[in-house]
Amino acid sequence: GAGVSQSPSNKVTEKGKDVELRCDPISGHTALYWYRQRLGQGLEFLIYFQGNSAPDKSGLPSDRFSAERTGESVSTLTIQRTQQEDSAVYLCASSLNSGGRYEQYFGPGTRLTVT
Amino acid sequence: GNSVTQMEGPVTLSEEAFLTINCTYTATGYPSLFWYVQYPGEGLQLLLKATKADDKGSNKGFEATYRKETTSFHLEKGSVQVSDSAVYFCALTGGTSYGKLTFGQGTILTVHP
């Protein structure tokens, strides 16, 4: 079946603008995760959804970042008033989280550049 | 908190050489351990996993054994190929089988013919 998809693949925006990043998880996967990868740094966890609720938002770096998930499917990560330090690749992952299947499968990422 | 430390790269090898990429971790409870690989221009892919002590994960000729006594999960391959050139990430989920992954910094591997 199809893997995790993300859109757009690339986004260039001006400082101060808002952006929305979209993630479509693997069908049937109840868990969804957002991470970011800044140049020269490792992957940072942002937020975790189980179904439509978010039991762990501990990685969101500021109140400019928010995310939602609807219908146990699509998730949107919104960054308001973007700053240059927000430039990164934003990765989404999903997992089944049942029957011993907890491994996460990643999408191709959205490369965000804030000018 | 949880943390993962990988050997610093880049690592450069000739084809058919033996590969080891060291990974050690700090975590509470009983984490699950993973190796992910990112080939040039591609997304992050799960390479192998181990969910309890002494488990050995293996895939595509790569192996890693969950060593609780040394808190390590070193990645090995007996004979690397040019196509193994990629960035390798060690990761764990802490305490439970699900939840956020904590990643190491990544190790760049380049294999020359």
Side-chain angles (χ1 to χ4, degrees):
Chain A
V4 177
S5 61
Q6 293 185 245
S7 61
S9 55
N10 280 285
K11 176 72 176 178
V12 181
T13 190
E14 293 180 352
K15 178 181 171 181
K17 302 280 190 183
D18 298 351
V19 294
E20 283 190 353
L21 311 180
R22 177 188 168 106
C23 172
D24 282 90
I26 293 171
S27 177
H29 280 195
T30 60
L32 186 148
Y33 309 80
W34 284 98
Y35 298 86
R36 76 175 174 183
Q37 187 175 23
R38 288 190 282 190
L39 190 64
Q41 299 186 29
L43 286 93
E44 305 170 75
F45 166 80
L46 297 177
I47 187 169
Y48 154 52
F49 287 93
Q50 182 61 45
N52 293 339
S53 64
D56 190 348
K57 306 178 184 179
S58 62
L60 294 178
S62 75
D63 59 7
R64 295 187 296 105
F65 287 71
S66 63
E68 63 176 18
R69 187 180 186 195
T70 55
E72 292 199 353
S73 180
V74 172
S75 175
T76 303
L77 177 69
T78 301
I79 309 174
Q80 295 179 310
R81 306 181 301 282
T82 52
Q83 303 296 313
Q84 288 187 329
E85 62 263 27
D86 299 335
S87 296
V89 177
Y90 288 82
L91 294 167
C92 175
S94 69
S95 65
L96 192 57
N97 276 17
S98 70
R101 300 291 304 277
Y102 297 101
E103 58 270 23
Q104 296 179 28
Y105 294 88
F106 283 79
T110 294
R111 183 176 297 278
L112 175 66
T113 303
V114 182
T115 61
Chain B
N2 298 332
S3 67
V4 176
T5 302
Q6 284 181 239
M7 70 183 281
E8 291 192 18
V11 175
T12 303
L13 295 173
S14 297
E15 205 164 27
E16 299 184 3
F18 183 85
L19 169 70
T20 299
I21 301 177
N22 289 338
C23 171
T24 57
Y25 68 88
T26 302
T28 55
Y30 300 93
S32 293
L33 303 174
F34 305 85
W35 278 99
Y36 280 84
V37 59
Q38 190 169 31
Y39 297 103
E42 298 186 19
L44 209 57
Q45 301 176 25
L46 178 64
L47 180 60
L48 54 83
K49 66 176 183 180
T51 57
K52 62 182 187 294
D54 300 324
D55 266 2
K56 178 186 283 187
S58 61
N59 187 24
K60 299 182 181 180
F62 291 89
E63 293 184 339
T65 301
Y66 189 145
R67 300 288 188 199
K68 190 165 177 63
E69 65 276 12
T70 54
T71 62
S72 65
F73 193 54
H74 304 321
L75 182 68
E76 296 182 336
K77 186 173 185 180
S79 175
V80 293
Q81 305 300 311
V82 172
S83 58
D84 294 326
S85 298
V87 184
Y88 292 82
F89 293 91
C90 185
L92 65 82
T93 57
T96 56
S97 299
Y98 55 90
K100 63 184 178 186
L101 283 164
T102 299
F103 285 89
Q105 289 296 100
T107 302
I108 300 172
L109 170 67
T110 303
V111 181
H112 292 298

